[in-house]
């Protein structure tokens, strides 16, 4: 993710995902990510998107984003979120397509989306390479994506071609989504909440998902089948340490209830699992 050189914190290997919100539009009118976040320039198209989504890119948001990023850096412990840049971003999908469970995820997402109404407005976090965009468009969805890395969204643009131009992509904090309450019918998140960000940010992110969601969510989470169970420390990844009941309780406190779940992968000799949870938003 590109910061102005004067404001850019030093990047190291194990950081929570940093996500300073910004948009840009290139000369061809395509949505791309902003290189100069310090200036926070807005084009005519940005002002149009701001009207639709009530996004503000003023100095207050910039300062909040940098402050939150700094706080995240102070509590890191084996977090791999700040790594999807450069060659890693460019080769992200090619590498993961070799994983058997990548294709399980693809199949399950297609099945779960088929259970929902057509024509929804969906937010995908993190957007990554836009791996589910074909499914979204097949169901007539209006697609929004949010990610930390401009490099990986450039990889998405290359991979998706014309389909990318039908998406609105934003770089921003999952813990402070730049959208109105109940802005989306559906929120989707895979390979993120249990794997990428620290547990403190996972809890904040799930609450943010519930805030911007008015109907459904599909979230990938993990749990242990048998004990011992434990809650992660706030500066650790969530992983699959909690019981299923504890995970569902966390979701319920945030404003979600389970509709159903699909097993994605078995871990730890069968004592831990990763699932896609189809959820209904319950908070008012």
């Amino acid at each position: 993710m590109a910061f102005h050189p004067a404001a850019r914190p030093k990047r190291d290997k194990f950081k929570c995902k940093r996500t300073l919100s910004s948009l840009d539009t290139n000369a061809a009118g395509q949505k791309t990510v902003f290189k100069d976040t310090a200036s926070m320039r807005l084009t005519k198209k940005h002002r149009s998107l701001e009207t639709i989504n009530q996004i503000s890119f003023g100095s207050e948001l910039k300062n909040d984003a940098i402050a939150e990023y700094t706080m995240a850096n102070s509590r890191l412990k084996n977090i791999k979120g700040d790594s999807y840049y450069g060659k890693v971003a460019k080769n992200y999908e090619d590498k993961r397509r070799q994983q058997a469970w990548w294709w399980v995820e693809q199949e399950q997402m297609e099945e779960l989306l088929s259970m929902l109404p057509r024509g929804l407005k969906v937010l995908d976090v993190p957007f990554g390479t836009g791996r589910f965009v074909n499914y979204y468009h097949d169901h007539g969805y209006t697609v929004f994506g949010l990610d930390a890395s401009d490099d990986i969204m450039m990889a998405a643009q290359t991979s998706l071609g014309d389909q990318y131009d039908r998406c609105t992509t934003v770089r921003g904090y999952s813990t402070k989504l730049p959208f109105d309450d109940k802005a989306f019918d559906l929120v989707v998140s895979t390979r993120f909440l249990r794997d990428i960000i620290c547990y403190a940010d996972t809890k904040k992110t799930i609450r943010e998902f519930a805030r911007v969601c008015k109907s459904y969510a599909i979230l990938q989470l993990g749990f242990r089948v048998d004990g011992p169970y434990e809650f992660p420390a706030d500066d650790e990844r969530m992983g699959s340490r909690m019981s299923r009941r504890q995970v569902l309780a966390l979701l319920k406190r945030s404003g979600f209830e389970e509709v159903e779940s699909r097993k994605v992968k078995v871990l730890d000799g069968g004592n831990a699992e990763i699932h896609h949870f189809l959820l209904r938003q319950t908070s008012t």
Side-chain angles (χ1 to χ4, degrees), residues 209-273:
F209 286 168
R211 180 184 66 80
V212 303
C213 173
K214 62 183 177 183
S215 299
Y216 304 102
I218 300 173
L219 307 183
Q220 188 179 99
L221 294 163
F223 56 85
R224 289 190 70 77
V225 177
D226 296 310
Y229 309 118
E230 63 176 357
F231 288 96
D234 278 349
D235 59 355
E236 297 176 331
R237 282 179 277 171
M238 182 179 183
S240 298
R241 314 181 202 185
M242 299 160 61
S243 70
R244 193 179 199 279
R245 179 178 295 181
Q246 290 167 336
V247 170
L248 292 177
L250 169 63
L251 292 168
K252 185 175 182 179
R253 289 193 300 272
S254 302
F256 288 117
E257 66 177 11
E258 180 186 12
V259 176
E260 69 170 82
S261 69
R262 305 286 178 90
K263 186 189 302 181
V264 175
K265 188 178 182 180
V266 175
L267 306 168
D268 193 20
N271 198 33
E273 297 178 358

Side-chain angles (χ1 to χ4, degrees), residues 104-116 132 135 138-139 218 262 276:
V104 174
E105 291 170 322
Q106 294 293 117
E107 181 180 352
Q108 290 186 0
M109 187 60 64
E110 189 172 19
E111 291 173 354
L112 291 169
L113 293 175
S114 69
M115 299 172 58
L116 302 177
F132 303 127
Y135 300 153
D138 286 347
H139 287 81
I218 300 173
R262 305 286 178 90
H276 280 137

Side-chain angles (χ1 to χ4, degrees), residues 109-175:
M109 187 60 64
E110 189 172 19
E111 291 173 354
L112 291 169
L113 293 175
S114 69
M115 299 172 58
L116 302 177
R118 294 181 58 83
L120 302 181
K121 184 178 179 182
V122 59
L123 174 65
D124 192 328
V125 182
F127 186 72
T129 55
R131 61 184 290 196
F132 303 127
V133 164
N134 289 341
Y135 300 153
Y136 298 151
H137 286 159
D138 286 347
H139 287 81
Y141 290 177
T142 301
V143 181
F144 284 70
L146 181 141
D147 204 287
S149 168
D150 54 357
D151 291 342
I152 206 163
M153 286 197 284
M154 288 177 186
Q157 188 172 15
T158 299
S159 175
L160 295 172
D162 291 344
Q163 293 220 53
Y164 181 85
D165 298 334
R166 296 168 57 192
C167 304
T168 299
T169 56
V170 182
R171 189 171 55 192
Y173 280 104
S174 67
T175 55

Side-chain angles (χ1 to χ4, degrees), residues 15-26:
K15 285 186 179 176
C16 286
K17 215 164 202 179
R18 69 181 176 210
T19 50
L20 186 62
S21 254
S22 57
L23 287 172
D24 199 5
T25 305
N26 63 20

